[in-house]
Amino acid sequence: MDGFNSRTCVTSALSIFRAELKGYVRARVPPADVEDVLQVAAMRAVEKAHTLREPARVLPWLYRIHANVAIDAGRKKAREQHLIEAMAQDGEPVAPEATAVCNCSIAQAQNLSPNYAAILNLVDIDDLPLAKAAQVLNISVNNATVRLHRARMALKKRLLEHCGVTSPGACADCRCSYDGCCSA
């Protein structure tokens, strides 16, 4: 199609159909998140405008983008809530599944303090018993228990900030595979 400018088409459609798209988003996310979802979706649409091949399909294309952003926002809220609940528990956190540890958690663990990184590597990666890890680090078992708990909480926080997930076993929901920042 001669003269078709996909970016102009997308920006025009975003302006023309803003009220419709806002109603669509409003039905899917909490009121406090509507404007954020609209803004992220608009930015994503403009960024991906080059993929639009048919101007007549711009509205369904925009709805799909808005739906995906609304779903992502809901997932992010759920992950944040899960982290808050996990941090509020007084008990020992559930140990990450050693078989499902992803590259992101390993990379982010290395960015923690050396004490936290060491205890996580020994217990969660190398599968050493806590008493043996304490012996290797030349600290008491009680100190190792506290350090491991704090290291796991710090790792959860770092994963949420960096990757958008709250556990080393949640790589299926991690955005790093798209960003390419932690992948080996």
Side-chain angles (χ1 to χ4, degrees):
M1 183 177 292
D2 292 334
F4 170 60
N5 183 326
S6 58
R7 185 180 175 106
T8 301
C9 179
V10 168
T11 56
S12 295
L14 284 168
S15 178
I16 293 167
F17 297 109
R18 178 165 170 58
E20 276 183 54
L21 293 167
K22 187 173 186 175
Y24 179 79
V25 169
R26 189 180 295 130
R28 285 156 179 77
V29 300
D33 296 337
V34 171
E35 288 301 323
D36 289 340
V37 168
L38 286 170
Q39 184 176 5
V40 170
M43 288 176 12
R44 191 173 294 171
V46 170
E47 179 181 290
K48 302 287 185 185
H50 67 279
T51 66
L52 179 66
R53 299 289 173 231
E54 299 176 43
R57 302 285 305 149
V58 70
L59 189 56
W61 184 80
L62 286 172
Y63 272 108
R64 187 172 48 250
I65 289 173
H66 282 71
N68 289 340
V69 172
I71 290 167
D72 290 347
R75 287 179 180 158
K76 181 179 179 189
K77 286 273 188 189
R79 286 190 300 263
E80 289 171 353
Q81 185 61 37
H82 179 72
L83 177 62
I84 290 167
E85 290 168 4
M87 292 176 78
Q89 292 177 350
D90 292 333
E92 186 72 20
V94 177
E97 305 85 7
T99 58
V101 174
C102 67
N103 290 330
C104 301
S105 62
I106 294 169
Q108 294 309 311
Q110 299 312 310
N111 291 327
L112 298 174
S113 74
N115 288 337
Y116 287 176
I119 193 81
L120 287 171
N121 282 331
L122 290 172
V123 175
D124 292 340
I125 303 299
D126 297 336
D127 286 324
L128 282 182
L130 190 58
K132 181 67 176 166
Q135 185 180 19
V136 169
L137 296 172
N138 199 26
I139 59 176
S140 70
V141 175
N142 286 342
N143 187 342
T145 302
V146 171
R147 189 178 293 180
L148 180 60
H149 174 73
R150 290 179 180 168
R152 286 177 176 160
M153 291 297 108
L155 180 59
K156 283 183 180 184
K157 183 179 179 197
R158 176 139 344 223
L159 285 171
L160 180 64
E161 291 169 354
H162 182 77
C163 309
V165 298
T166 59
S167 81
C171 280
D173 296 327
C174 180
R175 67 177 176 248
C176 291
S177 58
Y178 299 106
D179 295 344
C181 56
C182 295
S183 306

